[in-house]
Amino acid sequence: MKKTFVKSIAFLIPGAGMLGCSSEPVETKRPNIVFIMADDHAYQAISAYSDELIQTPNIDRLANEGAIFTRATVTNSICAPSRAVMLTGKHSFINGKVDNHMPFDWEQPNFPKLMQANGYQTAMIGKIHMDGIPQGFDFSMVLPGQGHYFNPDFLIEGERIQIEGYVSDIITETTLDWLKNKRDPDKPFALLYHHKAPHREWEPAERHYREFTQRTFREPATLFDDYEGRGNAAKTAEMNILKHMNWAGDSKLYPETMEELGIEPTVLNPFNESWDLQAFERTIGRYNEEQKAAWDEVYGPINEEFKKQYPSMSEEDLMRWRFQRYMQDYLGTIAGIDEGVGQVLDYLDEAGLAENTIVVYTSDQGFYLGEHGWFDKRFMYEESFRTPLLIRYPKEIKPGTEIDKLVQNLDFAPTFLDYTGIEAPEEMQGESFRKLVAGKTDQWRDAVYYTYYEYPSVHMVKRHYGVATERYKLIHFYYDIDEWEMYDLETDPMEMSNIYHDTAYADVQKMLHEKLDSLREYYGDSDELNQKFLKSYLEHQARRRDR
Ligand code: SGN
Ligand code: CA
């Protein structure tokens, strides 16, 4: 594969700058779609949901001028599987992409392919996290795998190119360039604008880490959770900010600081993996001289201050310090996304496209910002089960709409197809929420189904599946454990106490078991399928370890 290094994105888009100024509105009948997805963006970090941590005025515009969903969830809270569900409208166990490691079959129908076949111009810019050239797009520029924050490589129709700069800015500039110069004004378009941020290891742009490292953020009530009252799945997960974060990559200690203080690199999971020191190399190690100097100027003094405090710090102090460090960097990366979203919305206004364009903002899943002492996702507990969802479409959605129904990422493909007047194939399992969000119906499903497979693996979250209604949740953890958990979100919104064995809830338990069974049957899931995926996962893992 040829590898090129460039300093500006203007070279990358074929025909860029050649169409001249195409600001006249496109075909007005069928709507355009700008589908914005971030990676690991917790709803707690969007001010339309909660303004305790950060202001996101541009993302909030979508809620103010359109709708906000307060209980949007995912079907499988992890990156690549979530994207596969989003594209195909099918549960993981049907589309086959059950975890980050299994290959994705690009041959199956997806909504961009269907739109392309029906006269739409389509583009995919940013993170997709799946091997193979994305199918269904007239133009694609994607990060290989997780991608890097600074000076990242991109795959442009198979060619690998390194671009100097900050990843969120490059993704936004490419998106604007596509809209301005590559878009065919005679066709409606579907544009997937997909950020890498705020994925671990949380590296903000220089202009933001200066600001955010000065701030102190509120701690969640469950930061010091001891996992009593729940089963072994929560107790054995490796997502604790104090115990399982890398000191170098995540908390931004220089390897020399660690050595000086005698801090051992973090070691994780039964395979005794540690990538603590390498994490520094693969993040800050990639910066050019100027970027590194700016980083040193801000993080150098943080390291110095930590060296002074460390000898007298208790475990509790360390947890607090690591939580603040985490928030400063995580939220700093979100500031970069919010600016990008603002630029894209401004362009839609200027070009006269806002009225006829559906703009969606979501994440591939939610994320823990210290709740239960955690970072990362994967669990069917609320913070990672839910995902932010905001949508603006002035023609159909009233400003300030709030929807608390149980929509899922499973519904994106059928919803977009519905808006564009294309029939969704029978095999798609989601439902269109077009009428719901337009206020034309309040009929909606009363329960959703969830599955999670990636275990044993990083963060050690056990395999599980479950059902959620508006009020209750029932989860079954299986494989090397056989435990049921049940929660009443009305009396226990933070999910601190498992009521599965509480006799006062016997009727609820029975009702949830029935719902779970019927949803598994309806969507085509079974214990046999779980066994099949487990077997291929363990084989795949054994092959990797043999190598
Ligand atoms: C990496 C991260 C994990 C994360 C997975 C999956 N570690 O392994 O914390 O859970 O990706 O994330 S890191 O130190 O390499 O960043 S996902 O968003 O792709 O599913
Ligand atoms: Ca993710």
Side-chain angles (χ1 to χ4, degrees):
M1 203 182 284
K2 199 172 123 216
K3 184 160 168 170
T4 327
F5 182 84
V6 293
K7 290 204 175 233
S8 155
I9 57 147
F11 299 102
L12 301 177
I13 303 186
M18 282 158 62
L19 291 173
C21 175
S22 53
S23 58
E24 67 281 6
V26 291
E27 166 195 350
T28 49
K29 283 171 255 113
R30 291 190 290 174
N32 309 303
I33 293 174
V34 175
F35 184 37
I36 314 170
M37 186 181 263
D39 192 356
D40 296 353
H41 194 166
Y43 54 82
Q44 307 92 299
I46 291 180
S47 42
Y49 284 94
S50 157
D51 60 6
E52 282 187 341
L53 291 172
I54 189 173
Q55 291 299 325
T56 51
N58 296 300
I59 297 171
D60 290 4
R61 267 187 70 183
L62 299 176
N64 298 336
E65 298 165 15
I68 185 166
F69 289 78
T70 56
R71 196 92 190 291
T73 65
V74 294
T75 62
N76 183 355
S77 181
I78 185 155
C79 197
S82 168
R83 293 158 198 276
V85 170
M86 169 276 281
L87 286 168
T88 63
K90 296 183 289 193
H91 270 282
S92 304
F93 47 88
I94 301 291
N95 72 48
K97 181 73 183 158
V98 297
D99 56 49
N100 274 344
H101 307 294
M102 289 294 144
F104 176 64
D105 173 13
W106 276 108
E107 293 303 318
Q108 58 194 316
N110 68 35
F111 79 83
K113 278 191 200 178
L114 289 158
M115 289 186 185
Q116 206 180 26
N118 282 276
Y120 268 72
Q121 190 187 11
T122 59
M124 158 81 235
I125 297 163
K127 183 168 176 181
I128 188 67
H129 200 176
M130 293 197 285
D131 293 339
I133 297 178
Q135 287 186 29
F137 302 99
D138 297 314
F139 173 74
S140 75
M141 168 163 152
V142 298
L143 292 160
Q146 297 285 11
H148 288 102
Y149 275 98
F150 279 82
N151 314 321
D153 284 5
F154 280 93
L155 293 170
I156 303 176
E157 262 107 51
E159 193 189 356
R160 198 170 173 124
I161 291 174
Q162 187 179 12
I163 305 175
E164 192 162 44
Y166 183 65
V167 71
S168 306
D169 297 344
I170 297 167
I171 292 171
T172 298
E173 283 162 25
T174 309
T175 296
L176 287 169
D177 234 43
W178 187 87
L179 281 168
K180 290 177 187 167
N181 301 318
K182 186 87 196 303
R183 185 172 57 84
D184 177 349
D186 297 328
K187 280 182 169 185
F189 67 87
L191 168 63
L192 278 62
Y193 163 43
H194 287 192
H195 279 289
K196 168 193 168 59
H199 192 274
R200 196 181 180 192
E201 285 104 349
W202 316 303
E203 297 163 70
E206 182 198 345
R207 63 186 184 278
H208 293 126
Y209 54 67
R210 283 176 181 284
E211 173 193 344
F212 280 80
T213 52
Q214 308 293 318
R215 306 241 289 260
T216 306
F217 298 94
R218 70 100 185 91
E219 289 171 5
T222 57
L223 184 63
F224 293 96
D225 195 347
D226 59 6
Y227 315 112
E228 285 309 311
R230 271 140 295 155
N232 285 302
K235 293 190 180 84
T236 55
E238 297 187 340
M239 323 202 312
N240 187 274
I241 293 172
L242 176 63
K243 295 186 193 139
H244 306 117
M245 259 189 189
N246 289 325
W247 288 96
D250 296 328
S251 292
K252 315 283 193 290
L253 291 189
Y254 291 102
E256 302 85 72
T257 304
M258 289 171 64
E259 208 181 302
E260 212 179 306
L261 297 175
I263 295 177
E264 293 294 326
T266 310
V267 177
L268 290 177
N269 67 51
F271 317 115
N272 288 333
E273 280 170 3
S274 172
W275 64 98
D276 198 325
L277 295 170
Q278 296 90 308
F280 191 85
E281 224 8 78
R282 74 175 190 210
T283 55
I284 289 92
R286 287 181 63 89
Y287 294 19
N288 65 29
E289 264 176 45
E290 217 175 301
Q291 292 160 344
K292 181 67 167 56
W295 193 91
D296 285 334
E297 214 177 294
V298 173
Y299 289 89
I302 291 175
N303 272 255
E304 288 312 311
E305 188 52 38
F306 182 68
K307 279 193 224 167
K308 280 190 229 145
Q309 290 175 18
Y310 182 73
S312 63
M313 281 168 105
S314 64
E315 289 234 313
E316 212 178 284
D317 296 335
L318 272 180
M319 175 57 137
R320 298 213 144 98
W321 184 85
R322 300 199 82 177
F323 169 74
Q324 294 300 334
R325 283 274 49 257
Y326 168 33
M327 283 303 92
Q328 291 168 351
D329 296 337
Y330 179 91
L331 296 168
T333 69
I334 285 171
I337 300 184
D338 191 61
E339 286 173 359
V341 169
Q343 288 171 29
V344 171
L345 293 181
D346 285 349
Y347 178 74
L348 295 178
D349 287 340
E350 280 161 31
L353 291 166
E355 186 69 15
N356 198 37
T357 300
I358 297 157
V359 184
V360 173
Y361 188 92
T362 191
S363 170
D364 58 345
Q365 15 61 212
F367 212 69
Y368 296 93
L369 303 185
E371 298 86 1
H372 305 294
W374 286 336
F375 64 106
D376 215 65
K377 54 254 179 182
R378 299 162 192 267
F379 276 110
M380 198 194 168
Y381 304 135
E382 285 297 285
E383 291 81 1
S384 46
F385 177 43
R386 279 175 56 186
T387 196
L389 178 58
L390 313 159
I391 171 168
R392 183 185 78 180
Y393 182 33
K395 284 192 176 163
E396 291 191 13
I397 304 172
K398 275 212 227 69
T401 300
E402 197 176 309
I403 307 277
D404 61 3
K405 295 278 192 255
L406 294 162
V407 299
Q408 288 198 290
N409 58 345
L410 190 68
D411 303 323
F412 287 141
T415 303
F416 295 152
L417 290 171
D418 189 1
Y419 276 123
T420 54
I422 301 165
E423 202 182 333
E426 190 67 23
E427 66 187 88
M428 286 195 177
Q429 301 181 304
E431 307 287 335
S432 166
F433 54 73
R434 179 180 179 179
K435 284 204 182 90
L436 180 72
V437 70
K440 290 190 180 143
T441 181
D442 60 359
Q443 293 300 302
W444 195 247
R445 60 166 81 91
D446 65 357
V448 287
Y449 182 55
Y450 182 84
T451 61
Y452 173 78
Y453 304 86
E454 199 180 284
Y455 176 93
S457 178
V458 59
H459 301 302
M460 298 302 283
V461 174
K462 300 209 187 270
R463 290 170 180 256
H464 59 290
Y465 59 89
V467 61
T469 65
E470 281 170 16
R471 176 163 176 186
Y472 300 105
K473 199 180 281 182
L474 174 70
I475 313 173
H476 185 212
F477 293 94
Y478 66 97
Y479 173 44
D480 60 352
I481 183 177
D482 179 11
E483 289 183 14
W484 289 88
E485 293 186 12
M486 201 171 106
Y487 295 94
D488 180 347
L489 297 176
E490 204 169 289
T491 59
D492 178 25
M494 289 186 242
E495 298 166 300
M496 300 296 280
S497 115
N498 174 17
I499 50 166
Y500 187 74
H501 299 288
D502 186 336
T503 48
Y505 282 95
D507 290 348
V508 177
Q509 198 217 78
K510 186 164 170 280
M511 176 273 288
L512 289 173
H513 270 293
E514 280 165 13
K515 276 207 191 300
L516 181 63
D517 290 348
S518 72
L519 282 180
R520 292 187 91 199
E521 198 184 320
Y522 176 71
Y523 289 123
D525 198 14
S526 62
D527 291 349
E528 290 69 45
L529 272 182
N530 283 345
Q531 288 309 313
K532 184 190 112 180
F533 291 124
L534 173 64
K535 190 165 168 279
S536 49
Y537 182 81
L538 295 176
E539 283 168 4
H540 167 83
Q541 214 166 36
R543 277 199 302 278
R544 276 188 20 177
R545 277 181 205 290
D546 286 347
R547 251 185 252 141

